[in-house]
Amino acid sequence: MSEQPAAAFPDTQWSQVVRTALGPESGSREALSGLYRSYWYPLYGFARGKGLQAADAEDVVQDFFVYMNGQNLWAEADPLRGRLRTFLLVCFQRFMTKDFRRSQAAKRGGGAVHVDLNVEGVEERYAAELTDPHASLECFYHRRWATLVLDSAMQRLREDRAAANKTREFEVLQQFLSIHLPTTDSYLDAARKLGISENTVTVTVFRLRRRYREMARKVIADTLDNPTPEQIEEEWQALIDILGKPGF
């Protein structure tokens, strides 16, 4: 894949969030909502690992984002904002070491970021993913970040294929796009389902994998301030290392 100039990513989710420190701006609240929706589960898992019950973990993550927004702590992001996931984890750890919910009386209300979240099955997911009792909570958090990137990239690819009226093709071939997905069909099975040749399936899967990697890099760019191709590639390699996978 050829490198893209940094200008290819002129406005990232991270840079939008950081700009909220400078005052109201079109799109900044949407960026905060997107940030919360994306990162609540990694932070939730971290809180659960610290011993909080499920309901308390949900509350502390919500209160954390209320506090970050209400106290304008995004203005302090500059020293760490190269990686959004690092900045958030450091801030969240500080938040949990002090009883901010009591001392700061952070309440849902003014300045809060209200996002409707589907938490159904979250405890089952948490229990299934926390399989290594010796793994650190930081490791759990970063693995959730890596999975988040891949899930977000897959969702973007799904929307991209839907816009091209290729939803059925995507549904059948999605299983071949990433080694972290279960495969139930062979290429021949998929070809029969789609009414195309096995060779066409091979070519299409190759192109979709390439597009999937492009989407993943764009998701990564959203977590970097002023991303460069080198920074994106570094984070991509970190993702692969975190998941312990040879690549996608």
Side-chain angles (χ1 to χ4, degrees), residues 151 153-163 166-167 170-171 174 215:
D151 289 347
M154 192 65 74
Q155 179 59 32
R156 292 190 186 190
L157 183 58
R158 178 180 292 107
E159 294 168 358
D160 179 77
R161 293 295 82 201
K166 297 287 187 178
T167 299
F170 176 81
E171 289 175 347
Q174 178 184 3
M215 293 293 188

Side-chain angles (χ1 to χ4, degrees), residues 86-214:
T86 301
F87 172 70
L88 283 176
L89 182 57
V90 168
C91 290
F92 192 59
Q93 287 176 305
R94 291 173 179 169
F95 183 81
M96 292 191 69
T97 57
K98 302 176 184 178
D99 193 358
F100 280 108
R101 284 175 293 175
R102 182 170 60 232
S103 64
Q104 299 293 335
K107 303 294 184 181
R108 294 185 176 94
V113 181
H114 292 285
V115 181
D116 292 328
L117 297 171
N118 180 13
V119 298
E120 183 179 355
V122 67
E123 272 300 291
E124 291 81 358
R125 177 182 175 186
Y126 172 75
E129 292 180 346
L130 198 62
T131 56
D132 184 357
H134 302 294
S136 68
L137 289 177
E138 288 80 3
C139 179
F140 177 89
Y141 171 83
H142 288 299
R143 285 185 64 85
R144 299 290 64 73
W145 164 80
T147 302
L148 161 71
V149 169
L150 297 182
D151 289 347
S152 298
M154 192 65 74
Q155 179 59 32
R156 292 190 186 190
L157 183 58
R158 178 180 292 107
E159 294 168 358
D160 179 77
R161 293 295 82 201
N165 295 318
K166 297 287 187 178
T167 299
R168 173 58 177 167
E169 177 188 87
F170 176 81
E171 289 175 347
V172 174
L173 301 182
Q174 178 184 3
Q175 61 187 305
F176 304 118
L177 303 185
S178 174
I179 59 177
H180 84 297
L181 295 176
T183 302
T184 58
D185 295 330
S186 66
Y187 277 17
L188 181 58
D189 293 331
R192 288 170 175 166
K193 288 181 178 180
L194 294 172
I196 58 180
S197 70
E198 186 175 1
N199 182 64
T200 300
V201 167
T202 301
V203 173
T204 304
V205 168
F206 173 80
R207 291 173 177 171
L208 286 174
R209 282 177 177 167
R210 181 173 59 190
R211 185 65 174 152
Y212 178 42
R213 290 192 293 269
E214 290 173 355

